[in-house]
Every structure is written in C-alpha cells, then in structure tokens.
C-alpha cells in the first residue's frame, strides 16, 4: 500500500517455523522482510536467498563458514535488528530465551514461540482470544500449535456460552516430517508422563478462565496432531448451536469424512491441491460429521498442522505489538485474506 508505512520484520531462525513466517510476511501488503538470520550453510539458507531474503549470520562466528559455502551474508544479527521494526524469533527451543537479552538491549520488539516459557515475555498470544492485551507491548509469545488449537476451539465455545469444562486427549506427531530420518519413535506409543499434560495449563496462560485438562501421547507418525475432546456445556444445546459456534471462528474449518477427508494425509493432500505453500493447514480442521451432542455433553475431534497453525497468529502478533492495527478482527481478516485462510470449507 503506497500510503502506509510497511512494518519491517526480521526473522531469526530459518527453520520449520521461520521459513513459513518469512513467506507469510512477504505476502502481507503492510509488511516487508528486513531479512533472516541463521547459522546454517546448507540448503535451507540457500532457499532464503533464492526467495530474495537478505541473509545474516545469527552468530558472528558462523559468518566465515557461511561465506565459504558461497552464501551472500549481509552482516550479523545486530545489523539485521538495526534495520527492522520487530523480530520474530524462530530459533530452537531454549535458544530464543537466550536471545531475549540481545533484543532488550537493542530495544526492538520481539515475538517468541511456544517452546519458550510464558514468563519470558509475560504474555501469551492467540489472536481471537487476547489481541487487545498485546497492543503496544514490547514482546509476546505465540503459543504452541496444540495450545493455539485449544484456545481457538474452546474460545469459540466460550463466546457462544457453550463451555463449562473441557477434557482433551492429544495424539501428538513424533517429529517434524523434514527431519524424521534423524529421530522419532517407531513401533510404540509414548504417553506424556503427567496429567494434565502441559498444553492445558499453557492454554490457561492465554485465557485463565478456561477449565481445561489435557492428556497427551506421542505416536509414530509425522503428518500432524489429532485431538479428541469431551466438553461439558452449561446447558443442553443442539448440534447446530455447537456447529454455529465453531463456524463463527474464521480459523476453524469444518471438514467431513463423508467427503473423503477421513484421515490426516487426505487433509494434507487437499492443502496441496489448494496450492497452499508447504501444504499448510492454517486452520483447525474439525470433523463436522463426527461431532456429537448428548444433552449438555459435546464430543468432537480435529487435526492440527503443527508446522502451520501458528503462522497467522504470528502475523497478527506483529501488527498488535507494533500498533499497526488496533482492531483484532481487522488484523485477522487481513491476515486471512493474504494467506487464503477460509478457503477450506465444508459443503
């Protein structure tokens, strides 16, 4: 937009989430990429350059090796931060927490992701739940993929006054698909050792009023997560009332097994056919024809794309922190339009 100052965004860490954040920023008409920082000298960094993103060395000690590999390195992390309005940290778990000191010394606003603790920023973000409280902050944490899905779905029920308490069982993918050759479980299931699992308390860091308990088990596949939920509602409700509550969220997509979407791989294939980058499912894909209501009890299941669901939330968090948009619904609509969120709908 010619009459609007674009937000200059730095991405620190060009991995599974970082490359998707960079691609998403690049298609927003009120943002532009200042560049990406990383420490690798392999194909991932080459992809960043191929897409036209300026490349920086996140660790100055890595710059010589990156240049020796033929990469055009524009400078160090400090140089990148000096050219940006905000940085999105997509580095591995616990690395981001160590980067916070640098961000605070620089005075740049920053966004962390769900691998870090809530206490690092003092604020955890899901756009439909608490956009307003992030406006103008120096930092926030976009919560994990599973927590994002929990807050989206339970938040939709809460807004429709259909939520008293929720209990969920999570079947968690073993590892990210691109690195499944390096590790991950085979021929077994691994329960998370404590009940509640960490996702329920994490959802309460966004909305403390949620009565939610989660249980989780790691399963030997890499496509996505699968959630099963049992919800107690404050009163008897019809199935249509529940479906209308979910439809009110633009980031929950109702899908049908009867249309051939009976498994995770089928939904991912549909994302590819829609032309989504990296086959990304930004929405919670909730099975409409499985959803069951018995009096004041509700049962449903949905799919979470662990690599994609936090991307639209990150874009909205950028606008909130920089005060580029104070209206949550306006930011959500703008992000959705740029990413194609809402094109996955039940007939």
């Amino acid at each position: 937009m010619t009459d609007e100052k674009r937000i200059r965004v730095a991405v620190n860490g060009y991995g599974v989430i970082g490359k998707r954040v960079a691609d998403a920023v690049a298609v927003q008409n009120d943002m532009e990429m200042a560049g990406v920082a990383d420490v690798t000298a392999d194909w991932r960094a080459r992809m960043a350059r191929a897409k036209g993103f300026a490349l920086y060395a996140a660790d100055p000690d890595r710059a010589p090796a990156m240049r020796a590999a033929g990469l055009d390195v524009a400078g160090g992390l400090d140089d990148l931060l000096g050219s940006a309005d905000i940085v999105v940290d997509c580095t591995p778990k616990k690395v981001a927490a160590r980067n916070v000191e640098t961000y605070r010394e620089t005075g740049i606003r920053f966004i962390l992701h769900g691998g870090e603790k809530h206490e690092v920023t003092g604020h955890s973000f899901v756009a439909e739940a608490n956009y307003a409280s992030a406006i103008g902050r120096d930092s926030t944490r976009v919560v994990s993929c599973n927590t994002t899905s929990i807050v989206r779905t339970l938040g939709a029920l809460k807004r429709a006054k259909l939520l008293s308490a929720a209990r969920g069982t999570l079947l968690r993918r073993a590892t990210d698909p691109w690195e499944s050759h390096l590790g991950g479980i085979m021929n077994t299931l691994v329960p998370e050792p404590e009940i509640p699992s960490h996702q329920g308390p994490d959802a309460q860091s966004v909305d403390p009023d949620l009565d939610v308990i989660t249980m989780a088990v790691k399963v030997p596949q890499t496509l996505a997560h699968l959630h099963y939920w049992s919800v107690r509602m404050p009163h008897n409700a019809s199935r249509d009332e529940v479906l209308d509550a979910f439809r009110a969220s633009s980031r929950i997509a109702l899908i049908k097994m009867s249309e051939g979407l009976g498994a995770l791989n089928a939904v991912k294939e549909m994302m590819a056919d829609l032309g989504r980058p990296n086959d990304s499912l930004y929405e919670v894909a909730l099975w409409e024809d499985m959803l069951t209501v018995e009096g004041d009890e509700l049962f449903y299941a949905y799919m979470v794309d662990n690599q994609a669901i936090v991307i639209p939330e990150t874009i909205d968090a950028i606008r909130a922190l920089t005060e580029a948009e104070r209206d949550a619904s306006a930011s959500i609509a703008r992000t959705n339009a740029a990413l194609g969120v809402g094109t996955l709908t039940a007939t």
Side-chain angles (χ1 to χ4, degrees):
M1 299 178 68
T2 57
D3 60 347
E4 184 176 21
K5 180 181 180 295
R6 291 175 181 263
I7 309 162
R8 287 184 56 79
V9 181
V11 173
N12 189 8
Y14 195 71
V16 169
I17 299 298
K19 66 181 181 181
R20 289 167 171 81
V21 170
D23 287 347
V25 168
V27 297
Q28 307 299 315
N29 61 11
D30 60 339
M31 301 180 190
E32 62 185 16
M33 281 294 297
V36 301
D38 211 298
V39 297
T40 64
D42 61 14
W43 63 272
R44 291 166 292 178
R46 295 183 188 283
M47 291 300 100
R49 290 298 298 127
K51 292 183 176 183
F53 302 141
L55 179 64
Y56 294 79
D59 180 344
D61 292 338
R62 293 293 300 160
M66 295 170 74
R67 290 192 174 102
L71 293 169
D72 179 14
V73 179
L77 180 60
D78 289 345
D79 299 311
L80 174 58
L81 298 181
S83 69
D85 300 311
I86 188 169
V87 58
V88 181
D89 194 300
C90 304
T91 57
K93 186 176 182 180
K94 297 184 180 179
V95 174
R98 298 198 296 268
N99 291 335
V100 166
E101 183 177 349
T102 298
Y103 302 149
R104 293 199 189 282
E105 288 176 353
T106 305
I108 192 170
R109 290 183 168 91
F110 61 92
I111 296 170
L112 306 182
H113 283 92
E116 308 309 318
K117 299 293 186 183
H118 170 79
E119 291 74 22
V120 178
T121 63
H123 189 272
S124 295
F125 182 90
V126 175
E128 290 179 325
N130 65 345
Y131 184 100
S133 63
I135 294 173
R137 289 183 58 89
D138 66 350
S139 63
T140 191
R141 178 185 74 118
V142 172
V143 294
S144 73
C145 50
N146 283 315
T147 303
T148 296
S149 75
I150 292 168
V151 176
R152 280 189 195 173
T153 52
L154 297 187
L157 295 173
K158 180 181 176 182
R159 290 189 292 273
K161 303 188 185 308
L162 293 175
L163 178 66
S164 288
R167 306 295 181 254
T169 299
L170 286 60
L171 306 178
R172 302 181 59 203
R173 62 95 181 98
T175 189
D176 288 325
W178 87 271
E179 59 182 359
S180 59
H181 63 297
L182 301 177
I185 63 172
M186 289 291 290
N187 197 36
T188 190
L189 301 176
V190 182
E192 196 156 317
E194 295 180 353
I195 300 175
S197 60
H198 70 274
Q199 295 86 6
D202 199 30
Q204 291 167 331
S205 74
V206 179
D207 185 346
D209 295 332
L210 292 179
D211 183 346
V212 55
I213 294 175
T214 51
M215 299 173 285
V217 56
K218 191 178 293 186
V219 298
Q221 59 87 25
T222 66
L223 287 175
H225 304 304
L226 177 64
H227 286 217
Y228 274 83
W229 285 88
S230 171
V231 170
R232 189 175 74 250
M233 298 181 288
H235 53 78
N236 289 5
S238 69
R239 189 170 180 275
D240 285 341
E241 286 180 89
V242 173
L243 290 172
D244 285 345
F246 286 138
R247 288 189 184 104
S249 167
S250 63
R251 292 182 178 170
I252 299 173
L254 299 180
I255 60 174
K256 294 181 180 179
M257 289 190 169
S258 63
E259 295 180 346
L261 299 174
L264 306 184
N265 58 302
V267 179
K268 287 293 282 183
E269 185 71 8
M270 184 180 180
M271 295 304 98
D273 288 347
L274 285 172
R276 295 274 185 94
N278 303 114
D279 306 342
S280 293
L281 170 64
Y282 301 116
E283 304 92 338
V284 174
L286 190 150
W287 278 282
E288 176 180 348
D289 41 6
M290 186 194 300
L291 185 145
T292 299
V293 176
E294 296 285 349
D296 66 351
E297 291 184 289
L298 165 63
F299 307 92
Y300 58 90
Y302 60 74
M303 171 182 170
V304 180
D305 186 339
N306 51 288
Q307 300 180 113
I309 190 174
V310 301
I311 304 306
E313 308 300 324
T314 302
I315 298 301
D316 291 327
I318 291 170
R319 289 198 186 95
L321 264 59
T322 60
E323 301 182 80
E325 177 56 71
R326 303 189 68 86
D327 184 338
S329 60
S331 179
I332 290 169
R334 194 168 188 169
T335 301
N336 289 354
L339 297 180
V341 175
T343 57
L344 172 61
T345 57
T347 57

